[in-house]
Amino acid sequence: MISKIISIGFLISIFSVTAQNNTSYWQQHVDYKMNVDMNVKNFQYTGTQELVYTNNSPDSLNQVFYHLYFNAFQPGSEMDVRSRNIADPDPRVMDRISKLSPEEIGYLKVSSLKQNGKKVQYEVAGTILEVQLNKAIAPGEKVTFSMEFNGQVPNQIRRSGRNSKEGVALSMTQWYPKIAEYDFEGWHADPYIAREFHGVWGNFDVTINIDKNYILGGSGYLQNPEEIGYGYEKPGTKVKQKGKKLAWHFIAPNVHDFTWAADPEYIHDVVQVPDGPVLHFLYKKSDDKAFIENWKKLQPKSVDLMNYFSTTIGKYPYDQYSIIQGGDGGMEYAMCTLITGKRSFGSLVGVTAHEMAHAWFQHILATNEAKHEWMDEGFTSYISTLAMDKVMEQNKPNPMKGMYQGYFQLATSGIEQPQSTHADRFSRNGAYGASAYAKGAVFMAQLGYVIGQENLTKTIKKYYNQWKFKHPTPNDFKRIAEKVSGMQLDWYLTDWTQTTNTIDYSIKDVSEKGNTTAVTLERLGLMPMPIDIYVEYNDGSKESFYIPLRMMRKEKENPFPKTKRAVLSDWTWTHPTYTFNISKPKSDIKSLKIDITEQMADVDKKNNEYSSTQP
């Protein structure tokens, strides 16, 4: 009996290992066809949805889930309760949801749902529709879900809504029943509480019927511009608007979301990026000349931003991108962004830079934002900060300084949680924000210190080319960096994202031994790093010493080729101190400094320097 149990256990372990290492990539596919009718008087709408779902997974699916995001904007919802209980609520939300009247709330209601023409059983659980299938969807099988639904647009509170503070009538984000993502981890039927999203790649065919006085912008290419006008038609085209409503027909190929905004007072400007997409700008008419001037000045800067991102990351793959006044701050969506528009010019360019960068880091490289929010927010913050420095001709010595300062405040605050924390599970909004944005940006900038700036540049481009239109994970990015640099980087990903370990190195001792100088360094923080230490001598000459981290299994190139560099023996992470010798007497040394680039996120830089003039 014991031998049989051992044999069975052995077989189970073999199958387990096979399953755990079965990492062949796959992703689901959807094709949406929706037709909606909007009543702009009561902000209610009805819609039909035909969804062709392709199961590319190796699993048979007995159930599916849909997101009903607008249900979050109701008193007693998970978003409402969380906002009223978190220590530092989002000032845009606070307790506002709890005070909404029935005419002001948001909702999405499904009145009919069929699988291949046959009704299925479903149940609403907050912002999730739980669907039990009549027949399992086999691997490789396509099924068609037919749905009828109706909704009400909530007062503008968070991202979606009507009648924003800036007077935008409709910001239609997360407005339709959206099927949840199923991937190698299973279903991602996360309730809508506060944070980010995860969607299935596919094609959207959407028709929006709305009062003819309303002007729309958003995801997708308008298919009937000659019937719509409002600046979408070709110059010289005679527009033929019929009836009290217009049917705006959009097609958005190869995206994982569809968003639109509408207002009767939008100005619509169009700018062509040379060898790039058409940029659409939609913003409200105003008597404020500075407001209009800022939106006009934004347009050439947006062309510069598009060119910067296309050059630095990879070419923007769509023929259109829209920058639309709407929402409650700034938020990225497929082929467009919604931003608040009453800002200073610098702020307007800044929010555009950030949200446009998201067109790459989320809407082309579609990470699971709920689980890996630091990837899309951090990578976006990194690249948009550099873009702003370039496009606005700021020429800062260290453009990333603000991001590092944000991380240092977090690391010493006592409220930091690991970056691997689910976005909704942070105890404070402030901890989430600093972790996702600042610490996420530092992850990328500091990687340039670890593997070298040239390798980082190559890594970003290879990451884009290999993972565009997919759902990359942190490990996928790390593996690209390893292949580009030849270095082992699991330690870096683990310590930085899965712990709150900090980096802290010091120059512990500098002592003369005859005609040489012994320098002892100490690792005070728990996170190890390779070390660059720079020496300046009294005669003005300079030299650097590079101490590789043994776990990396390779050394980076000299970041300053004109400065003589000595590569020393490895420093193992288990040893708290490291001593090396300089072949000159201490009296010849003017100063020593760890990492003159300040790309290494050392939380206490006061002990990183030695000067001959110090006591």
Side-chain angles (χ1 to χ4, degrees):
M1 177 63 77
I2 292 175
S3 63
K4 285 183 179 180
I5 292 173
I6 292 173
S7 298
I8 292 170
F10 177 74
L11 288 172
I12 290 172
S13 70
I14 292 289
F15 290 137
S16 238
V17 169
T18 303
Q20 290 171 6
N21 287 286
N22 182 14
T23 56
S24 297
Y25 182 82
W26 53 267
Q27 65 188 31
Q28 307 293 60
H29 180 85
V30 290
D31 288 313
Y32 285 91
K33 188 171 185 178
M34 291 187 284
N35 192 303
V36 296
D37 189 87
M38 171 63 71
N39 184 331
V40 297
K41 293 181 180 179
N42 61 13
F43 300 101
Q44 294 178 1
Y45 56 100
T46 59
T48 60
Q49 180 188 100
E50 183 179 274
L51 173 61
V52 179
Y53 185 86
T54 305
N55 180 16
N56 292 317
S57 82
D59 307 319
S60 292
L61 305 179
N62 296 303
Q63 59 184 342
V64 298
F65 300 90
Y66 286 79
H67 295 281
L68 305 175
Y69 290 114
F70 273 7
N71 289 356
F73 301 101
Q74 299 175 10
S77 71
E78 291 178 76
M79 180 186 283
D80 173 36
V81 173
R82 179 61 171 161
S83 181
R84 288 188 282 118
N85 284 279
I86 197 169
D88 57 341
D90 187 321
R92 291 165 293 195
V93 182
M94 303 291 284
D95 63 348
R96 291 178 62 203
I97 296 176
S98 69
K99 298 177 180 177
L100 293 176
S101 70
E103 293 75 27
E104 296 171 329
I105 66 170
Y107 62 72
L108 268 174
K109 297 178 180 179
V110 176
S111 55
S112 173
L113 180 59
K114 298 177 181 178
Q115 174 190 357
N116 291 336
K118 295 183 179 180
K119 290 184 178 181
V120 293
Q121 296 296 315
Y122 56 85
E123 183 177 345
V124 176
T127 60
I128 299 297
L129 185 74
E130 303 169 349
V131 183
Q132 298 300 319
L133 301 179
N134 296 327
K135 181 183 176 183
I137 310 172
E141 183 182 0
K142 288 186 179 183
V143 300
T144 300
F145 294 106
S146 302
M147 177 188 291
E148 295 176 1
F149 66 95
N150 63 87
Q152 179 170 284
V153 186
N155 280 3
Q156 180 72 50
I157 291 178
R158 191 68 186 99
R159 296 196 174 109
S160 312
R162 69 202 204 214
N163 299 329
S164 71
K165 287 184 178 180
E166 295 187 350
V168 175
L170 291 166
S171 296
M172 298 297 287
T173 69
Q174 292 86 51
W175 60 274
Y176 60 94
K178 180 178 181 180
I179 200 159
E181 178 65 273
Y182 182 84
D183 62 18
F184 70 102
E185 294 179 311
W187 284 104
H188 296 276
D190 294 314
Y192 182 28
I193 295 174
R195 301 294 179 218
E196 312 291 3
F197 311 100
H198 195 29
V200 189
W201 282 103
N203 304 306
F204 287 74
D205 184 330
V206 181
T207 299
I208 301 159
N209 301 278
I210 193 169
D211 184 290
K212 69 177 182 180
N213 294 318
Y214 279 66
I215 305 165
L216 272 64
S219 307
Y221 307 116
L222 185 63
Q223 300 299 294
N224 55 339
E226 71 286 349
E227 298 172 6
I228 299 298
Y230 291 125
Y232 285 98
E233 76 280 10
K234 292 181 180 179
T237 301
K238 291 184 178 180
V239 178
K240 301 175 183 178
Q241 293 185 349
K242 298 178 181 179
K244 295 182 178 180
K245 286 190 172 184
L246 295 179
W248 295 67
H249 181 200
F250 295 97
I251 289 180
N254 208 14
V255 295
H256 52 87
D257 189 28
F258 188 95
T259 288
W260 57 283
D263 193 274
E265 296 182 346
Y266 271 151
I267 297 171
H268 179 203
D269 294 334
V270 179
V271 177
Q272 175 69 58
V273 178
D275 192 32
V278 174
L279 301 182
H280 294 266
F281 297 85
L282 292 104
Y283 53 99
K284 285 182 70 74
K285 296 175 184 176
S286 175
D287 294 329
D288 185 344
K289 293 182 179 180
F291 170 84
I292 298 296
E293 182 181 349
N294 282 347
W295 274 86
K296 297 294 184 183
K297 289 164 55 182
L298 172 66
Q299 295 169 21
K301 292 297 184 184
S302 298
V303 172
D304 293 341
L305 288 168
M306 179 62 70
N307 287 329
Y308 181 89
F309 296 135
S310 285
T311 300
T312 307
I313 309 169
K315 189 171 177 61
Y316 181 73
Y318 305 103
D319 295 329
Q320 174 183 307
Y321 186 79
S322 298
I323 299 166
I324 306 166
Q325 184 183 2
D328 54 74
M331 184 64 189
E332 71 278 5
Y333 300 102
M335 303 172 65
C336 68
T337 179
L338 268 60
I339 60 174
T340 48
K342 293 182 179 180
R343 302 165 173 264
S344 67
F345 178 63
S347 176
L348 191 62
V349 178
V351 71
T352 301
H354 184 88
E355 304 308 336
M356 186 185 287
H358 271 305
W360 282 261
F361 294 122
Q362 178 48 26
H363 285 286
I364 300 171
L365 297 156
T367 56
N368 181 343
E369 294 180 285
K371 296 189 70 172
H372 313 301
E373 67 282 348
W374 62 271
M375 288 185 73
D376 81 290
E377 292 298 354
F379 291 10
T380 290
S381 296
Y382 168 78
I383 206 74
S384 63
T385 298
L386 297 181
M388 278 292 287
D389 188 69
K390 176 74 172 179
V391 168
M392 298 298 281
E393 299 179 352
Q394 295 169 337
N395 300 316
K396 296 178 180 178
N398 182 6
M400 300 303 299
K401 184 176 181 179
M403 293 297 168
Y404 278 83
Q405 289 175 338
Y407 163 66
F408 293 144
Q409 290 174 0
L410 173 67
T412 57
S413 67
I415 63 170
E416 183 183 8
Q417 294 171 249
Q419 282 186 314
S420 55
T421 302
H422 188 286
D424 287 327
R425 311 285 201 275
F426 280 86
S427 61
R428 292 172 176 263
N429 282 316
Y432 159 81
S435 177
Y437 291 77
K439 189 176 180 180
V442 174
F443 171 91
M444 187 74 92
Q446 185 173 244
L447 184 60
Y449 167 82
V450 174
I451 68 176
Q453 196 60 44
E454 185 177 346
N455 280 334
L456 177 59
T457 299
K458 291 178 180 178
T459 294
I460 292 171
K461 290 183 176 181
K462 188 170 182 178
Y463 174 57
Y464 173 81
N465 287 328
Q466 186 165 325
W467 284 99
K468 59 187 176 183
F469 304 117
K470 297 178 182 176
H471 293 296
T473 66
N475 189 66
D476 296 320
F477 180 79
K478 181 210 69 170
R479 292 293 291 130
I480 295 290
E482 287 181 331
K483 290 172 183 177
V484 168
S485 67
M487 301 177 190
Q488 301 302 309
L489 298 170
D490 195 60
W491 62 275
Y492 183 65
L493 180 66
T494 298
D495 273 51
W496 191 257
T497 68
Q498 297 178 27
T499 78
T500 56
N501 293 345
T502 57
I503 301 164
D504 185 11
Y505 283 86
S506 73
I507 299 175
K508 184 177 184 180
D509 183 65
V510 180
S511 56
E512 191 167 78
K513 294 185 176 181
N515 290 323
T516 65
T517 303
V519 179
T520 298
L521 308 179
E522 184 175 16
R523 177 182 57 75
L524 301 172
L526 285 174
M527 182 170 176
M529 289 289 283
I531 298 298
D532 290 317
I533 185 163
Y534 295 85
V535 185
E536 183 176 359
Y537 299 105
N538 289 323
D539 62 6
S541 62
K542 297 178 181 179
E543 186 177 11
S544 72
F545 295 85
Y546 176 60
I547 308 172
L549 181 64
R550 181 172 291 178
M551 290 187 294
M552 290 171 56
R553 310 300 175 191
K554 191 178 178 182
E555 299 79 42
K556 70 175 178 182
E557 296 294 325
N558 187 354
F560 298 102
K562 293 183 179 180
T563 299
K564 177 185 175 184
R565 184 181 79 159
V567 178
L568 305 179
S569 59
D570 296 345
W571 189 346
T572 62
W573 75 268
T574 56
H575 289 62
T577 62
Y578 183 102
T579 300
F580 69 96
N581 292 317
I582 298 174
S583 59
K584 287 189 178 184
K586 182 178 177 181
S587 57
D588 285 356
I589 296 174
K590 181 180 180 181
S591 65
L592 298 168
K593 185 174 182 179
I594 297 172
D595 178 32
I596 60 173
T597 67
E598 297 193 348
Q599 287 182 306
M600 186 175 76
D602 191 305
V603 296
D604 182 9
K605 289 185 167 57
K606 296 190 297 293
N607 54 20
N608 287 14
E609 297 184 53
Y610 161 82
S611 172
S612 60
T613 59
Q614 69 187 35

